[in-house]
């Protein structure tokens, strides 16, 4: 972790205490050093869905016929018949294309959130720069869980893996797959958080990081009273959630977002329920007309919450140095 991490925290703290309240952009740059873009399968209040046959989306069928509706729709827009679009698509075109694919059969509204204000009419970018491109792909079918077993999450991972390797230049050695299939490392909470922290620790300016999650998500009562505006934490459900708990949004921020180096480009695809603001990013867009076709300030972005988390991380780091 770079030493300017501590200096950024101290600078923001001094401004806060002096009454010179930072702007939304200043807060975002200070609390989220890297550029992070997340596309989520639905709003916080919504559930996501499986499709029973990915062939209807004209996708490669590499691990069975079922798949997540959001992942399948996204790949139909960006990788239809294993072909990329003839011309660059903008972020708005990608999001609206996904929504169009879902519109007839699914009510979920995909969302885009970001750590920076940006032009959504610019070309969609999944990875950029000449640095290393690393990916973490997580697929959880919860085999044997009753209720709760899914059927499409492994297929999502293999389809996304093929896409990022063939289209975006990710190499096999730089892709970590966590799946509950008996062949890969188990997607336990500990393993997921360890891999997220590893990505943040290893990535340098100019690198790109890609994270894809396909599995259950949840919305549970905020464990820090009053920290969330709606009183709820958005969560991922690892394979061992029943024994060891869920992964709350605070842990995702602390493991991946707050400690990622400046200059890294991070893209996250979250195909799970209640995923709209799971990374607590300050800007958002929804392709349903509610944000006017623009990135707007996320009303659920809590500067005080992230500042407190940021301070806890800084304090822990200082303790290590002493």
């Amino acid at each position: 972790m770079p030493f300017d991490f501590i200096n950024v925290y101290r600078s923001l703290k001094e401004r806060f205490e002096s009454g010179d309240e930072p702007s939304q952009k200043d807060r975002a740059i200070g609390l989220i050093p890297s550029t992070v873009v997340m596309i989520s399968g639905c709003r916080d209040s919504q559930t996501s869905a499986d499709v029973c046959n990915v062939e209807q989306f004209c996708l490669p069928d590499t691990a069975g016929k079922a798949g997540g509706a959001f992942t399948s729709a996204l790949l139909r827009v960006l990788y239809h018949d294993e072909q990329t679009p003839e011309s660059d698509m903008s972020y708005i075109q990608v999001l609206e294309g996904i929504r169009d694919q879902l519109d007839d059969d699914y009510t979920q509204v995909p969302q885009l959130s970001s750590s920076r204000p940006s032009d959504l009419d610019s070309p969609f970018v999944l990875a950029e720069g000449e640095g290393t491109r690393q990916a973490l792909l997580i697929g959880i079918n919860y085999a044997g869980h009753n209720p709760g077993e899914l059927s499409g999450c492994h297929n999502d991972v293999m389809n996304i893996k093929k896409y990022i390797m063939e289209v975006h230049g990710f190499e096999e050695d730089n892709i970590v797959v966590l799946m509950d299939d008996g062949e890969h490392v188990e997607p336990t909470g500990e393993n997921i958080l360890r891999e997220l922290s590893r990505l943040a620790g290893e990535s340098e300016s100019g690198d790109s990081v890609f994270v894809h999650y396909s599995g259950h998500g949840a919305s549970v009562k905020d464990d820090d009273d009053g920290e969330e505006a709606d009183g709820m934490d958005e969560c991922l459900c690892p394979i061992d959630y029943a024994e060891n708990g869920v992964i709350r949004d605070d842990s995702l921020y602390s493991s991946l977002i707050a400690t990622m180096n400046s200059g890294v480009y991070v893209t996250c695809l979250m195909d799970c329920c209640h995923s709209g603001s799971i990374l607590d990013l300050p800007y958002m867009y929804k392709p349903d007309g509610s944000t006017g076709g623009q990135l707007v300030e996320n009303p659920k972005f809590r500067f005080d919450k992230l500042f407190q988390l940021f301070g806890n991380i800084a304090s822990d780091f200082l303790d290590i140095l002493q």
Side-chain angles (χ1 to χ4, degrees):
M1 188 182 302
F3 284 99
D4 63 1
F5 178 85
I6 303 300
N7 292 329
V8 165
Y9 171 71
R10 286 173 172 162
S11 175
L12 285 173
K13 186 172 183 292
E14 289 172 359
R15 289 185 62 180
F16 184 77
E17 291 175 344
S18 68
D20 179 21
E21 185 172 340
S23 66
Q24 180 96 339
K25 185 175 181 179
D26 288 342
R27 298 174 185 183
I29 293 173
L31 293 172
I32 307 174
S34 58
T35 298
V36 183
V37 175
M38 180 185 77
I39 301 179
S40 54
C42 56
R43 298 187 182 109
D44 286 343
S45 60
Q46 288 184 305
T47 57
S48 57
D50 278 355
V51 293
C52 62
N53 188 350
V54 297
E55 289 179 357
Q56 68 179 288
F57 287 89
C58 301
L59 300 176
D61 187 9
T62 57
K65 292 187 177 296
F70 165 64
T71 298
S72 298
L74 179 142
L75 288 175
R76 181 174 174 85
V77 171
L78 294 173
Y79 200 42
H80 181 56
D81 285 337
E82 299 188 41
Q83 300 293 318
T84 58
E86 293 183 359
S87 58
D88 289 339
M89 298 184 69
S90 69
Y91 285 94
I92 287 181
Q93 288 173 326
V94 170
L95 266 292
E96 291 183 344
I98 295 170
R99 183 68 197 115
D100 288 344
Q101 294 295 325
L102 296 170
D103 197 38
D104 291 339
D105 300 307
Y106 306 99
T107 60
Q108 62 195 81
V109 178
Q111 296 186 205
L112 181 148
S113 55
S114 176
S115 64
R116 303 285 186 270
S118 59
D119 181 6
L120 292 181
D121 287 320
S122 61
F124 173 81
V125 175
L126 188 140
E128 66 178 18
E130 301 299 322
T132 303
R133 299 187 172 193
Q134 295 196 77
L136 172 62
L137 312 179
I138 305 163
I140 314 177
N141 275 347
Y142 308 92
H145 289 221
N146 186 19
E149 184 169 351
L150 300 175
S151 59
C153 300
H154 298 169
N155 200 40
D156 287 343
V157 165
M158 302 314 295
N159 288 337
I160 284 288
K161 181 180 179 183
K162 181 180 179 69
Y163 169 66
I164 65 171
M165 290 182 68
E166 295 195 356
V167 177
H168 296 284
F170 285 77
E171 298 179 354
E172 181 87 39
D173 290 344
N174 292 326
I175 300 174
V176 172
V177 174
L178 304 181
M179 289 200 303
D180 56 334
D181 61 352
E183 298 180 9
H184 295 84
V185 175
E186 284 276 290
T188 63
E190 180 180 3
N191 289 340
I192 291 172
L193 290 175
R194 184 193 67 243
E195 289 301 323
L196 292 174
S197 296
R198 179 190 60 80
L199 286 174
E202 291 182 359
S203 298
E204 302 176 349
S205 181
D207 291 351
S208 290
V209 168
F210 176 75
V211 177
H212 175 258
Y213 175 86
S214 181
H216 280 308
S219 182
V220 300
K221 190 177 185 303
D222 181 9
D223 59 353
D224 294 307
D225 188 35
E227 184 184 74
E228 293 281 359
D230 60 359
M232 306 296 287
D233 278 335
E234 284 66 55
C235 309
L236 304 182
C237 299
I239 187 63
D240 60 339
Y241 71 90
E243 298 80 17
N244 297 312
V246 295
I247 301 176
R248 293 177 183 262
D249 46 15
D250 293 358
S251 296
L252 293 174
Y253 173 81
S254 299
S255 298
L256 180 69
I257 305 303
T259 53
M260 188 69 71
N261 280 312
S262 176
V264 179
Y265 191 87
V266 182
T267 301
C268 298
L269 301 182
M270 296 294 185
D271 193 350
C272 60
C273 302
H274 309 291
S275 54
S277 65
I278 197 165
L279 292 185
D280 287 318
L281 299 176
Y283 300 94
M284 64 179 295
Y285 166 77
K286 291 185 287 187
D288 61 358
S290 62
T291 58
Q294 298 179 350
L295 271 175
V296 298
E297 292 186 1
N298 181 0
K300 294 187 68 175
F301 178 69
R302 291 287 304 277
F303 171 65
D304 52 345
K305 168 193 169 181
L306 297 191
F307 187 72
Q308 181 180 5
L309 286 171
F310 199 81
N312 292 339
I313 298 168
S315 178
D316 291 342
F317 185 58
L318 285 174
D319 287 343
I320 294 171
L321 293 179
Q322 291 175 353

